[in-house]
Amino acid sequence: MDLPTDVNTHQQTTPVQAATMPLVSRQRGADVLTDEALARIEARRVALGIGVNELDRRCGWSNGEASRLLGGKRRDPALSSMVDLVGVLGTTVDWVVWGRGHAELSG
């Protein structure tokens, strides 16, 4: 299995590094989670009736992490954090980040 290459150092990563890398490079000051992505996360959280502190708990995050994310103070979560988040919200990274697909997983 080929591991991703770090976009900043252009070196192959280890499995642990790959799991904690931001989803997208912050080249040219671009943030991973746009205002639209944050709005999708917030809408899905509210639709499910999950409070911000409960989101922290369900994702296994430290207290206040969801508030920082939803408040736009942290827009470059690691892939592992995004996997936790979409699992709790019952959706996909594609939907959260790019708005592709459906908010709710079918099945």
Side-chain angles (χ1 to χ4, degrees):
M1 172 174 90
D2 289 335
L3 294 169
T5 301
D6 185 299
V7 293
N8 298 313
T9 65
H10 305 288
Q11 296 177 354
Q12 193 170 34
T13 61
T14 68
V16 172
Q17 289 169 324
T20 59
M21 285 172 54
L23 293 174
V24 178
S25 170
R26 293 185 58 115
Q27 294 175 357
R28 297 187 198 126
D31 291 318
V32 173
L33 295 178
T34 62
D35 290 342
E36 293 83 6
L38 295 174
R40 283 189 287 275
I41 294 167
E42 179 67 4
R44 184 73 179 140
R45 179 189 69 79
V46 169
L48 294 172
I50 300 172
V52 176
N53 293 335
E54 180 66 10
L55 186 59
D56 280 334
R57 188 188 70 72
R58 290 188 189 185
C59 288
W61 297 346
S62 60
N63 253 357
E65 192 64 27
S67 290
R68 285 187 290 281
L69 180 71
L70 294 171
K73 293 185 171 102
R74 178 157 186 238
R75 291 181 181 241
D76 61 346
L79 178 57
S80 58
S81 294
M82 287 300 295
V83 169
D84 294 337
L85 178 65
V86 298
V88 169
L89 297 180
T91 190
T92 65
V93 172
D94 264 357
W95 181 78
V96 168
V97 176
W98 296 284
R100 295 188 295 220
H102 301 283
E104 187 173 340
L105 292 175
S106 59

